[in-house]
Amino acid sequence: ETIVAHRVAFSIFGKVNNLTKEKVDGISIQAVNTETNQIYETLVEKNMEYRLRGLTPDQKYIVRMKIPNNSCKYYFKLSY
């Protein structure tokens, strides 16, 4: 008997680095599908890591970071 599986969803993961080394609560990562404008979103964990699940294969996404209160006093680097 043969089992065949097809991947129907992908994820991205990474870490947010704050140049001031301060932990900031409430940061989220969004991926916006460029064709459908559907937004996928996840909160950054306390260790500043994230995983965004459920992305559709063969689609293009804009990945962006949302910072609480649009705070500009923090400088972040997003890696994925």
Side-chain angles (χ1 to χ4, degrees):
E1 195 169 317
T2 302
I3 298 174
V4 178
H6 297 279
R7 181 180 288 250
V8 295
F10 288 89
S11 64
I12 61 170
F13 60 91
K15 185 168 187 153
V16 176
N17 295 306
N18 182 349
L19 300 178
T20 65
K21 306 296 185 205
E22 294 178 52
K23 300 284 187 207
V24 178
D25 292 328
I27 296 174
S28 63
I29 304 298
Q30 292 183 335
V32 182
N33 185 308
T34 59
E35 290 184 23
T36 66
N37 289 323
Q38 183 173 0
I39 298 173
Y40 300 84
E41 185 171 11
T42 190
L43 285 173
V44 173
E45 301 290 331
K46 290 189 186 284
N47 62 3
M48 302 303 279
E49 293 179 352
Y50 66 90
R51 178 176 297 272
L52 190 55
R53 301 174 192 271
L55 303 178
T56 306
D58 301 320
Q59 297 289 308
K60 292 182 181 178
Y61 295 90
I62 296 171
V63 178
R64 61 189 182 198
M65 178 171 44
K66 282 180 54 181
I67 302 170
N69 303 322
N70 294 320
S71 175
C72 294
K73 76 175 198 174
Y74 301 103
Y75 297 92
F76 295 96
K77 178 182 176 187
L78 176 64
S79 61
Y80 51 92

